[in-house]
Amino acid sequence: INLIHLGMLSRRIPITPPFMPSSSHLKGQGVVMGFDDIFDLPRLRETLQWPILQWSDVKKTRYNLSVDFGPASADGPQREAVGCWSLWQGLSRAKLPIWSSLPKFLNLDIMYTPVPRWIKMTDNVNDEHAIFGGIASLLMPQRRVEVLSTPESKDRYTYESSLNGTDIEPDEQLSCFDILYFVGSHVGFEWEHIFSPAWNLVGTATHFSPRLEALAVEYLRRLFSLQDGQAIPSFISVHIRRDDFQGACAPEWKLEECFASLDVYARRIKEVEAELAARSTSGTPPTEVVVTSDERNITWWAQVDKMGWKHIDHAKEESATKHGL
């Protein structure tokens, strides 16, 4: 979303990256999925009236297959070297670019140049957020030349040994970044605020793909044991992220002391039910609850069952086998 918003601000064509199987969520296993595998790209283009590409439109490689970083990982052009900007190297205390498996998947050897400090949102050393407008101005020809003439811009870094001893500036035509997560117009983590420009202009126009929506309907119909013609009932959906959050818990804490208990979620669900009932002018507010989570502990899921909440048993559904996850 931030990439597309930045593309529109700088009057450039965004190239959306594929979704890589995350090491934290999927243990690095699974297929590489294109942006249009998840989101309705034709609808988004039409709504925004803006051209949006995917990397599959630009460069050949093995999309929709399991990741293979062997010698034959790319089917098509040879490896290419390109210069990119690094927000993480320029704005964070790490002073290094964010490492990602994506460049290797795309057969790109990248030389990173740190962005200037003036695009930083605050002077707080613990805040890595950059300002959309500052990044957009960096992509203008005159501003780019000014920044690349400074001594700080010469502190380039690469994770590829093939580029050692070389000096590649950020490409003028194909602008790229190591990360655009910590970007906003005014405050950090703007996604938490209703006034977020990226959300209002791009996020609200982004819808799931028809195939993904049909798959969700298929799962929900089985979950609610519906017969043909029966409508899916209204429900409250709760996503409880746990598995990859364990690393954020202090070593001396027990996991159940670190994570919110199901009783806490039950109290919040009651609050949502009350709010929906107050808003409702007709009909009955939803009473069904559907839980999703990356938790693998079957004892925890048994507790979810005891709460009277529904959840999809992906092992029983054979989701991994059917959908390659």
Side-chain angles (χ1 to χ4, degrees):
I1 304 302
N2 285 350
L3 170 69
I4 296 171
H5 184 55
L6 177 62
M8 298 177 74
L9 280 177
S10 57
R11 301 194 63 79
R12 288 172 174 257
I13 298 174
I15 305 176
T16 59
F19 293 96
M20 304 295 292
S22 167
S23 59
S24 59
H25 288 293
L26 298 173
K27 311 304 180 187
Q29 301 173 347
V31 299
V32 177
M33 306 183 75
F35 183 85
D36 64 350
D37 287 321
I38 307 298
F39 298 108
D40 191 339
L41 186 53
R43 181 177 179 181
L44 181 60
R45 290 169 176 152
E46 177 66 25
T47 302
L48 297 180
Q49 289 293 290
W50 200 267
I52 303 172
L53 297 178
Q54 303 182 95
W55 267 103
S56 56
D57 300 317
V58 178
K59 188 174 176 64
K60 290 182 179 179
T61 192
R62 293 183 174 182
Y63 302 97
N64 300 107
L65 294 175
S66 296
V67 176
D68 175 12
F69 290 135
S73 63
D75 179 17
Q78 297 179 349
R79 298 190 69 83
E80 299 171 271
V82 64
C84 295
W85 296 100
S86 173
L87 271 74
W88 204 246
Q89 183 182 359
L91 304 185
S92 77
R93 290 181 296 173
K95 303 299 181 183
L96 290 173
I98 284 281
W99 183 89
S100 168
S101 59
L102 180 60
K104 192 168 185 178
F105 174 75
L106 294 173
N107 262 3
L108 295 176
D109 291 340
I110 297 180
M111 177 73 72
Y112 291 101
T113 296
V115 297
R117 300 284 293 182
W118 51 258
I119 72 169
K120 200 170 187 290
M121 187 175 290
T122 71
D123 294 328
N124 186 340
V125 295
N126 297 314
D127 186 358
E128 298 87 5
H129 282 85
I131 299 174
F132 271 116
I135 303 175
S137 68
L138 181 63
L139 303 185
M140 300 303 170
Q142 181 180 351
R143 197 61 154 159
R144 174 182 174 276
V145 171
E146 291 174 359
V147 170
L148 292 179
S149 66
T150 63
E152 293 80 10
S153 71
K154 310 304 178 186
D155 186 22
R156 299 192 173 98
Y157 190 89
T158 182
Y159 288 106
E160 302 300 331
S161 58
S162 62
L163 296 184
N164 289 341
T166 63
D167 188 33
I168 306 175
E169 293 183 345
D171 195 90
E172 183 174 7
Q173 186 173 17
L174 180 66
S175 295
C176 46
F177 300 87
D178 60 340
I179 185 171
L180 287 174
Y181 183 84
F182 299 99
V183 183
S185 65
H186 175 60
V187 297
F189 299 107
E190 275 187 345
W191 281 88
E192 299 177 2
H193 302 280
I194 194 65
F195 58 74
S196 164
W199 167 252
N200 280 285
L201 297 175
V202 181
T204 56
T206 306
H207 299 266
F208 290 117
S209 68
R211 176 182 174 275
L212 199 61
E213 289 190 350
L215 187 62
V217 168
E218 179 184 324
Y219 272 97
L220 287 169
R221 293 192 66 81
R222 286 198 294 271
L223 181 64
F224 287 107
S225 302
L226 299 177
Q227 302 297 320
D228 291 342
Q230 285 185 291
I232 297 173
S234 299
F235 61 90
I236 296 171
S237 179
V238 183
H239 181 62
I240 305 177
R241 186 173 171 182
R242 288 171 55 96
D243 187 61
D244 66 320
F245 272 7
Q246 294 183 24
C249 298
E252 65 272 17
W253 292 354
K254 295 180 180 179
L255 285 182
E256 296 313 314
E257 294 175 349
C258 177
F259 292 133
S261 69
L262 292 181
D263 288 336
V264 172
Y265 284 98
R267 185 170 71 250
R268 296 303 186 189
I269 289 169
K270 290 295 184 185
E271 293 174 359
V272 172
E273 289 175 344
E275 182 179 345
L276 292 175
R279 290 183 186 178
S280 178
T281 57
S282 62
T284 304
T287 56
E288 296 281 6
V289 176
V290 176
V291 174
T292 62
S293 176
D294 58 353
E295 179 58 67
R296 299 164 184 266
N297 189 315
I298 59 174
T299 301
W300 184 85
W301 281 111
Q303 294 173 349
V304 171
D305 291 331
K306 288 183 179 179
M307 301 295 287
W309 302 335
K310 288 181 168 57
H311 64 90
I312 296 169
D313 186 337
H314 287 288
K316 183 179 179 181
E317 290 278 356
E318 299 180 333
S319 297
T321 301
K322 293 176 181 176
H323 307 296
L325 298 178

